[in-house]
């Protein structure tokens, strides 16, 4: 598959739609206009890649809806060089958005098949996260903590304590919390002990699964 002017046109339309839905951060809009989402999907979905919809990416997982990606990214208030931990690499689209904003991205995926596929794809595309880890995101990445922000892209039945503790003071954690439906939740770490919490509407994600061993 290639990236053509036709795809670029569709991306511009998608970016406009996201603006009307409330995405105000210009850099996020610019990322949506730039990143070739159709290349993150199976070729059979190519024609639909720029609809504001989630799609299957194999292993029972989905690439998040563009609005959701933009909404979560906007909440992170990414600055160049920020260190960001992402739980749920999946197709890698959200990772690519964060890389476009010049963040240093650490990303974790627990499905081996997807992990391998996306790692190959990143090599091919020259996307360079700081680290791609095959493992359980519930534990975060203690060796690389603390992070400027943490983004969870699967529905968490509860907020993993490890992730709260791996946030810098002033850092932001964006996590969809809930079982059947999730409430997008933003935590800002105000001090070592104090977190400010905001709830920002209902979303639907595949579940964040814990490896119990
Ligand atoms: N950011 C991805 C979203 C993929 S869906 C994208 O834009 O494509 C969520 C992903 O989280 C799935 O790939 C799923 O396998 C992964 N996941 C679920 N539980 C996890 C866990 N405990 N640790 C790491 N990844 C997890």
């Amino acid at each position: 598959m290639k990236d053509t002017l036709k795809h670029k046109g569709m991306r511009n339309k998608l970016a406009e739609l996201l603006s009307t839905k409330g995405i105000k951060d210009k850099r996020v809009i610019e990322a949506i206009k730039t990143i070739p989402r159709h290349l993150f999907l199976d070729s059979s979905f190519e024609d639909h890649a720029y609809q504001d919809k989630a799609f299957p990416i194999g292993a029972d997982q989905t690439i998040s809806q563009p609005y959701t990606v933009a909404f979560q990214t906007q909440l992170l208030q990414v600055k160049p060089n920020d260190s960001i931990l992402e739980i749920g690499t999946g197709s890698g689209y959200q990772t690519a958005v964060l890389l476009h904003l010049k963040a240093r991205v650490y990303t974790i995926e627990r499905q081996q098949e997807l992990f391998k596929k996306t790692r190959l794809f990143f090599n091919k595309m020259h996307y360079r996260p700081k680290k791609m880890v095959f493992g359980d995101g519930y534990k975060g990445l203690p060796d690389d903590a603390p992070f400027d922000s943490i983004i969870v892209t699967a529905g968490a039945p509860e907020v993993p304590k490890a992730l709260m503790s791996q946030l810098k003071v002033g850092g932001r954690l964006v996590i969809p919390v809930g079982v059947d439906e999730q409430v997008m939740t933003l935590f800002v770490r105000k001090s070592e002990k104090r977190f400010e919490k905001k709830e920002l509407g209902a979303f639907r994600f595949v579940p964040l699964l814990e490896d119990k061993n």
Side-chain angles (χ1 to χ4, degrees), residues 83-197:
S83 63
I84 303 187
L85 174 63
E86 177 191 26
I87 312 300
T89 316
S91 69
Y93 181 70
Q94 171 73 68
T95 319
V97 168
L98 297 172
L99 290 172
H100 185 80
L101 301 180
K102 300 194 161 49
R104 288 177 291 146
V105 187
Y106 300 76
T107 184
I108 312 181
E109 173 57 54
R110 70 176 287 283
Q111 286 271 1
Q112 190 156 34
E113 179 194 331
L114 265 179
F115 170 77
K116 286 186 177 158
K117 188 171 159 197
T118 301
R119 189 174 51 183
L120 282 175
F121 174 69
F122 278 2
N123 281 338
K124 193 173 114 200
M125 298 289 289
H126 306 288
Y127 290 137
R128 300 255 181 270
K130 268 266 168 197
K131 251 188 204 176
M132 285 187 88
V133 178
F134 169 61
D136 181 8
Y138 262 87
K139 301 181 181 71
L141 279 185
D143 290 349
D144 298 287
F147 298 97
D148 292 297
S149 47
I150 301 178
I151 174 171
V152 180
T153 69
E158 61 199 282
V159 183
K161 290 226 166 52
L163 299 186
M164 302 281 271
S165 74
Q166 290 175 25
L167 210 53
K168 282 185 193 170
V169 170
R172 305 164 81 82
L173 165 63
V174 174
I175 180 168
V177 185
V179 178
D180 293 327
E181 191 180 72
Q182 291 82 29
V183 177
M184 191 62 76
T185 310
L186 167 68
F187 291 92
V188 182
R189 188 168 203 171
K190 292 293 186 181
S191 70
E192 206 51 46
K193 293 232 168 82
R194 203 169 72 80
F195 291 82
E196 180 188 273
K197 177 181 174 184

Side-chain angles (χ1 to χ4, degrees), residues 15-24 52-53 65 67 71:
E16 260 170 50
L17 174 69
L18 299 185
S19 308
T20 64
K21 286 187 168 182
I23 304 301
K24 301 289 173 223
D52 190 17
K53 285 190 184 153
Q65 188 183 336
Y67 174 73
F71 188 79

Side-chain angles (χ1 to χ4, degrees), residues 43-107:
S43 55
S44 53
F45 294 111
E46 185 187 355
D47 289 345
H48 307 291
Y50 297 105
Q51 295 175 6
D52 190 17
K53 285 190 184 153
F55 286 103
I57 52 173
D60 276 339
Q61 305 304 325
T62 54
I63 181 172
S64 299
Q65 188 183 336
Y67 174 73
T68 305
V69 172
F71 188 79
Q72 287 193 280
T73 308
Q74 177 166 275
L75 287 174
L76 295 177
Q77 301 184 352
V78 182
K79 296 184 296 307
N81 240 14
D82 273 2
S83 63
I84 303 187
L85 174 63
E86 177 191 26
I87 312 300
T89 316
S91 69
Y93 181 70
Q94 171 73 68
T95 319
V97 168
L98 297 172
L99 290 172
H100 185 80
L101 301 180
K102 300 194 161 49
R104 288 177 291 146
V105 187
Y106 300 76
T107 184

